[in-house]
């Protein structure tokens, strides 16, 4: 049995929806189809989810939001019309969206999540209706009825364990099941969404729940590439990658597969096949528990901007029992999640996402570090980017760190931080955000030289 998830670009237009339906029915093993909301038809276009967010924001700011919602309704109507579905077939969608816009807004988080979720929800209803019009035994599954029970964290929900036992029953439901991605319900009955891009997470949860043989993740590229094709021309394609490698790369900016979607498939050892809706016969990339390293010790280079580092030093820090705990407690109490913690003998840096470290948070944290920990020196560096070189082969290959550092030196890039965990599946470098593209190109040329030489 297969669970297949289709991303927003695969559902952006009638032609794309047709491709999705052709793929869905072409393999009887495909049992559950997870859909995103319609995405962008071209670079200038707007995703339905973003249009819904605009409508919700308008209402939360005291406006009607009707013009924004009219654009969403129009999008579904044009897809249905181009699919040749009978007039009136999107009336229920229009009614649903208009009704949701009029909802009570007193809990802004719930209102926002309910509107965001409507993109996937109505897309799943439309796809199921279209498949039935083609004579396919297909039905829409409401995540509440299906049993997608999530934590009550608006926009940032996590699956609750009880979901798995409930969703397992979908195995025995007849016909093709069309399940909307991106959201579920809290125990209170409220709609809650995963973080953005979260339909991947829905698919992974369903794959684990029904113990699928494969989780197929359809997107708009033939495979995962070793570096961002927007930075490196024609990067090498990856045919196999492990869960651990993918987790590191997704964390550091690979957007093909959501990093939080890896946990359910990792814990149940379900292989993931990233495939292209526009070229379904291409083998795609397999995400697996293990891979043969062969000649690819490095499998990917990723970079992510938007971090800052809080550096502090205190003479004899190494002798002060409990210093680290007290430092992290300050971050915990200020509700800031830390990402990394590189340290020296008498100094330590706390790396946090810049978005969480507002000027207000900075003032609090710095004052507390100075007063409570009596640090000798403390300062903040913003505009930090993290570059990761990832590969299971690192454990057994000598000299990779030296090669990476030489590549940075040749590109005249100053290293602010180097971090290599004992797992040795990745090396992480902190550099200025301005140097990111150069850094990725320099590392690519270093670790994939055959390709560079062939092009020269
Ligand atoms: N539609 C949602 C988003 O744009 C979720 C998804 O596409 O996976 O973030």
């Amino acid at each position: 049995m297969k669970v297949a998830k289709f991303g927003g670009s695969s559902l952006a237009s009638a032609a794309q929806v047709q491709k999705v339906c052709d793929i869905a029915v072409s393999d009887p093993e495909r049992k559950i189809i997870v859909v995103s909301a319609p995405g962008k038809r071209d670079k200038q276009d707007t995703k339905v989810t973003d249009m819904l967010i605009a409508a919700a924001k308008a209402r939360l700011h005291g406006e009607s939001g009707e013009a924004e919602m009219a654009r969403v309704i129009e999008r579904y109507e044009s897809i249905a019309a181009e699919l040749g579905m009978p007039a009136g077939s999107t009336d229920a969608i229009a009614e649903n969206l208009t009704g949701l816009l009029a909802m009570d807004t007193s809990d802004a988080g719930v209102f926002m999540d309910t509107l965001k979720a409507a993109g996937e929800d109505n897309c799943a209803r439309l796809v199921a209706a279209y498949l039935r019009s083609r004579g396919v035994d297909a039905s829409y599954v409401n995540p509440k009825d299906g049993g997608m029970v999530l934590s009550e964290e608006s926009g940032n929900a996590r699956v609750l364990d009880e979901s798995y036992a409930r969703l397992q029953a979908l195995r025995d439901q007849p016909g093709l099941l069309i399940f909307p991605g991106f959201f579920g319900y809290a125990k209170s009955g409220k709609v809650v969404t995963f973080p953005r891009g979260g339909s991947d997470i829905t698919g992974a949860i369903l794959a684990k729940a029904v113990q699928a043989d494969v989780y197929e993740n359809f997107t708009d590229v033939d495979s995962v590439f070793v570096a961002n094709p927007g930075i490196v021309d024609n990067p090498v394609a990856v045919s196999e990658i492990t869960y651990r490698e993918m987790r590191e790369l997704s964390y550091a900016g690979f957007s093909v597969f959501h990093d939080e979607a890896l946990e359910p498939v990792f814990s149940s050892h379900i292989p993931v096949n990233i495939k292209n809706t526009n070229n379904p016969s291409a083998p795609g990339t397999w995400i697996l528990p293990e891979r043969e390293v062969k000649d690819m010790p490095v499998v990917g280079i990723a970079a992510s901007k938007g971090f800052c580092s809080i550096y502090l030093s205190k003479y004899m820090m190494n002798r002060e029992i409990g210093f680290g705990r007290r430092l992290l407690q300050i971050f915990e109490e200020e509700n800031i999640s830390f990402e990394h913690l590189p340290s020296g003998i008498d100094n330590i840096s706390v790396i946090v996402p810049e978005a969480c470290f507002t000027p207000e948070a900075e003032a609090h944290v710095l004052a507390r570090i100075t007063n409570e920990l009596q640090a000798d020196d403390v300062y903040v560096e913003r505009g930090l980017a993290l570059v990761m070189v990832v590969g299971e082969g690192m454990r057994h290959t000598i000299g990779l760190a030296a090669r990476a550092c030489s590549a940075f030196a040749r590109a005249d890039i100053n290293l602010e931080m180097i971090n290599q965990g004992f797992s040795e599946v990745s090396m992480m470098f902190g550099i200025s955000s301005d140097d990111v593209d150069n850094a990725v190109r320099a590392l690519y040329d270093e670790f994939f030289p055959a390709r560079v030489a062939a092009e020269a």
Side-chain angles (χ1 to χ4, degrees), residues 1-18:
M1 180 188 289
K2 293 178 181 174
V3 170
K5 177 258 166 180
F6 292 86
S9 59
S10 302
L11 294 141
S13 65
Q16 290 301 91
V17 171
Q18 260 159 348

Side-chain angles (χ1 to χ4, degrees), residues 41-329:
R41 288 161 289 193
D42 52 57
K43 275 208 173 114
Q44 281 72 41
D45 204 9
T46 310
K47 291 176 171 191
V48 160
T49 308
D50 290 317
M51 299 199 283
L52 287 163
I53 291 172
K57 279 190 177 157
R59 262 226 70 199
L60 289 169
H61 291 143
E63 295 151 29
S64 77
E66 279 164 15
E68 289 82 355
M69 192 55 99
R71 281 196 278 279
V72 179
I73 295 171
E74 202 272 320
R75 188 77 184 278
Y76 286 107
E77 283 171 351
S78 77
I79 294 175
E82 280 169 44
L83 285 171
M85 293 172 77
S89 50
T90 48
D91 287 356
I93 293 181
E95 210 176 297
N96 170 266
L97 291 168
T98 311
L100 293 178
L101 188 65
M103 246 179 73
D104 170 44
T105 58
S106 53
D107 186 329
V110 172
F111 178 68
M112 177 59 83
D113 270 19
T114 309
L115 257 65
K116 274 155 73 183
E120 272 62 18
D121 199 42
N122 285 301
C123 187
R125 290 174 197 271
L126 184 70
V127 169
Y130 175 62
L131 280 162
R132 281 196 300 276
S133 77
R134 281 175 45 168
V136 179
D137 175 15
S139 46
Y140 155 83
V141 181
N142 180 283
K144 193 180 226 165
D145 304 335
M148 185 64 81
V149 193
L150 308 183
S151 62
E152 196 150 347
E153 296 171 87
S154 298
N156 197 25
R158 277 167 302 165
V159 67
L160 299 187
D161 269 350
E162 64 189 74
S163 294
Y164 290 108
R166 296 188 52 194
L167 291 165
Q168 191 184 12
L170 295 176
R171 264 188 95 91
D172 306 317
Q173 216 164 294
L176 191 58
L177 306 180
I178 316 299
F179 200 105
F182 192 37
F183 75 98
Y185 288 82
K187 281 187 176 161
S188 62
K190 291 172 189 161
V191 172
V192 264
T193 64
F194 292 117
R196 290 297 305 267
S199 298
D200 285 350
I201 308 174
T202 306
I205 293 166
L206 288 168
K208 175 174 174 174
V210 301
Q211 285 144 35
D213 299 303
V214 180
Y215 172 28
E216 293 179 314
N217 195 283
F218 282 88
T219 174
D220 51 11
V221 285
D222 273 354
S223 67
V224 173
F225 296 100
V226 298
N228 183 346
I231 300 178
V232 172
D233 285 338
N234 292 318
V236 173
V238 177
S239 56
E240 288 185 359
I241 186 166
T242 68
Y243 297 126
R244 292 188 335 144
E245 290 171 329
M246 195 66 208
R247 158 82 176 120
E248 305 263 337
L249 290 168
S250 301
Y251 168 83
F254 270 37
S255 56
V256 184
F257 193 64
H258 201 292
D259 62 338
E260 290 185 32
L262 283 158
E263 198 283 322
V265 285
F266 176 66
S267 58
S268 50
H269 280 205
I270 295 170
V272 182
N273 193 191
I274 308 279
K275 285 178 78 74
N276 189 351
T277 301
N278 306 315
N279 185 16
S281 58
T285 298
W286 284 92
I287 311 177
L288 302 164
E290 305 288 338
R291 73 176 170 94
E292 232 189 288
V293 170
K294 289 185 262 182
D295 54 347
M296 289 262 285
V298 170
V299 81
I301 298 156
S304 174
K305 297 182 186 176
F307 293 93
C308 62
S309 142
I310 299 94
Y311 169 92
L312 62 138
S313 66
K314 185 174 184 187
Y315 192 58
M316 300 287 274
M317 182 191 287
N318 64 320
R319 297 288 302 274
E320 200 171 319
I321 291 172
F323 190 89
R325 181 189 51 74
R326 284 187 287 133
L327 171 63
L328 290 182
Q329 197 165 337

